[in-house]
Amino acid sequence: MRVKKIYLDNAATTPLDPRVLKAMLPFLKEEYGNPSSLHSLGQRSREAIEKSREIIANFIKAKTDEIFFTSGGTESNNFAIKGVAFANEKFGKHIITSKIEHHAVLEPCHWLEKNGFKVSYLDVDKNGLINVNQVEKTITDETILVSIMHANNEIGTIEPIVEIGNLIKKVREERKERNIKTPIYFHTDAVQTFGHLPINVNELNVDLLSASAHKLYGPKGTGLLYIKKGVKIEPLIHGGGHEKGLRSGTENTAGIVGFAKAVEIAKKEMDKEYQRLTKFRDLLIEEIFKKIDGVSLNGDRYLRLPNNINISVKGVEGEAMVLYLDKKGIACSTGSACSSHSLEPSHVLLAIGKSPEEAHSSLRITLGRFTKEKDLKIFIQALTETINYLRKISPLWEK
Amino acid sequence: MFKYSKKLLDHFFHPKNMGKIKNPDGVGVAGNPICGDVLKLYIKIKENKIADIKFETLGCAAAIAVSSVLTEMVKGKTIDEALKIKNEDIVKELGGIPPQKIHCSLLGEEALKKAIKDWQSKKK
């Protein structure tokens, strides 16, 4: 019997939309020119890249020369954090971030700490929300960068980016009045929201923003960093001076064209998709609580991504759940230590005050464009069976 | 991600001897704070042999597979033979365990020794 595959791990990556693939194909075949070449083959690639840049810039209300293509979210976050740190260290060496950031933000920060910078890792509340007052209190005259994610990849909590952006703006103006030269920049990791929630860089008041194509049905290996005009930043990758000298390396034309196509589709379908997935999400949460005892929701019930469900299931372990569900054709993920490289449970779940046991028993279900309503029913059935079975084996579950 | 052996996955998806034993002669519990696994073994002893053994385990695939294969290895063995089982033997029996999961096999050895000790202490 062929098992029907149901993909519910869209926060990890999304499948390539066939429309994106179609847009990319010419640039993987006949349109192979190097965009830096003078001949027409190269120039056609250049045109495609610049058109893509325009589409993406328009999407977030940025200027075209504020979009810098990278290899993905991890590079964009490294670029933003280390690039700003290196360019501004003579003014101050303090950076503020949160305890629930992606490793692609936390690890550059840890590395900077080893290299003479001071980093404050802000606590979050039990739903994963940053307290804006806490950000304000943590800012000193040495602070050059605040980096807070737009929405969390594990628990889906959407952070008050507008409020933090306004705060940073206020601090900047206030520094100007006091004639303090130290700049302060605001970076947001928008990898989970780009193409899913409306983003207007002017309304968010961000100076830097990271995004990745493969989270919105585009290809892997392509990302971007929005860098507002005037932000002082050092490149991490030196070479032939591509991307205005800030990110050298021959452009990934097919990837960039695919990214732009993914953005075009998202722009058209985002509102409807938001409604559809929110409905699915709420339906699933309701059904899970109705059908299964001993389950708790991780993250904020309402201030959360429309596609994210993260639960802890008493008496079972996450990796076991994921593998049993996989056997039934369903792909999702867990914050359990057992499935991680490091054998550490999810730092996000621990930061919102969950016990290691709760983190070990967590399951993340993330819906996507290709999730159908009938998939939800199949999933609930499979999840119920899996949990019932594993609880039968478990010494820590008494019905 | 690491890869599990076919035999390990087979024990994980089709565990043997799972559940409780009513009025067991010995019970052994081992838990590992690193991974959050809890492994509980129930044994029934007859004529110095492990006549029956069952397990309950909260844990990952490796922890459940270790429990299952261990019950098969131990059933029918004398107490002395059972006490000689080392975690390496469990790993071997499963066709290997990913290095970061070796501690799961230690849990198996520990729970078995505790169950036997429990029986011995009750006997006195």
Side-chain angles (χ1 to χ4, degrees), chain A residues 3-275:
Chain A
V3 190
K4 194 192 172 306
K5 298 280 177 212
I6 298 177
Y7 185 73
L8 298 175
D9 200 13
N10 286 278
T13 191
T14 54
L16 194 69
D17 190 298
R19 294 168 286 183
V20 173
L21 176 63
K22 201 175 155 219
M24 290 172 71
L25 276 176
F27 298 94
L28 293 167
K29 292 174 167 177
E30 64 269 22
E31 296 294 343
Y32 53 80
N34 186 323
S36 297
S37 296
L38 283 178
H39 46 68
S40 52
L41 188 65
Q43 287 312 299
R44 284 202 299 275
S45 292
R46 168 60 55 205
E47 267 169 47
I49 288 173
E50 295 316 318
K51 202 181 130 209
S52 300
R53 201 188 304 275
E54 205 177 311
I55 290 167
I56 295 171
N58 284 339
F59 178 59
I60 57 169
K61 304 286 182 286
K63 298 183 188 80
T64 47
D65 57 358
E66 295 175 320
I67 302 295
F68 296 82
F69 291 113
T70 67
S71 66
T74 295
E75 187 192 326
S76 295
N77 285 333
N78 270 269
F79 184 12
I81 292 163
K82 292 192 270 192
V84 165
F86 294 150
N88 299 283
E89 59 183 331
K90 58 178 179 292
F91 296 108
K93 288 190 144 193
H94 181 226
I95 293 168
I96 299 172
T97 186
S98 83
K99 286 188 177 159
I100 62 163
E101 298 299 312
H102 192 275
H103 289 296
V105 165
L106 292 176
E107 289 311 313
C109 285
H110 289 154
W111 185 82
L112 284 172
E113 279 186 291
K114 282 192 228 153
N115 287 276
F117 286 82
K118 194 173 167 273
V119 183
S120 304
Y121 302 90
L122 296 179
D123 287 319
V124 292
D125 74 4
K126 64 180 182 12
N127 292 335
L129 278 165
I130 306 275
N131 182 333
V132 183
N133 293 332
Q134 196 60 41
V135 180
E136 187 165 16
K137 274 188 225 153
T138 313
I139 294 174
T140 70
D141 283 346
E142 301 291 303
T143 310
I144 51 171
L145 178 69
V146 176
S147 178
I148 303 290
M149 67 202 325
H150 193 186
N152 184 268
N153 51 304
E154 290 188 36
I155 54 174
T157 302
I158 300 168
E159 300 298 342
I161 296 304
V162 175
E163 288 79 359
I164 300 170
N166 282 333
L167 166 70
I168 307 294
K169 208 173 148 189
K170 200 182 83 186
V171 170
R172 195 176 293 138
E173 283 160 10
E174 185 261 346
R175 279 186 186 178
K176 212 171 161 184
E177 279 168 27
R178 289 194 291 132
N179 210 14
I180 289 171
K181 295 272 186 305
T182 309
I184 181 163
Y185 298 122
F186 181 30
H187 166 250
T188 191
D189 171 0
V191 164
Q192 289 295 327
T193 54
F194 202 91
H196 303 285
L197 299 182
I199 291 178
N200 177 330
V201 289
N202 307 304
E203 283 171 11
L204 292 183
N205 272 315
V206 292
D207 302 297
L208 303 118
L209 180 143
S210 305
S212 178
H214 78 97
K215 308 283 190 183
L216 57 141
Y217 313 96
K220 290 164 186 66
T222 304
L224 68 83
L225 183 65
Y226 156 77
I227 309 173
K228 193 179 182 156
K229 234 180 214 157
V231 171
K232 286 192 192 74
I233 188 165
E234 282 291 327
L236 299 188
I237 299 175
H238 301 87
H242 308 77
E243 300 293 286
K244 295 199 291 166
L246 283 181
R247 203 286 185 179
S248 288
T250 299
E251 296 88 340
N252 174 0
T253 312
I256 291 168
V257 167
F259 197 172
K261 186 67 192 179
V263 161
E264 265 185 343
I265 298 168
K267 195 175 181 177
K268 238 186 317 183
E269 301 181 355
M270 199 165 65
D271 292 349
K272 248 170 97 181
E273 188 64 355
Y274 183 93
Q275 308 288 337

Side-chain angles (χ1 to χ4, degrees), chain A residues 317 319 324 338 343 389 393, chain B residues 4 12 35 56-57 60-61 101:
Chain A
E317 190 276 330
E319 186 201 86
Y324 266 85
C338 299
L343 288 186
Y389 186 77
I393 310 182
Chain B
Y4 284 129
F12 169 59
C35 203
E56 289 180 314
T57 293
C60 61
K101 299 279 186 168

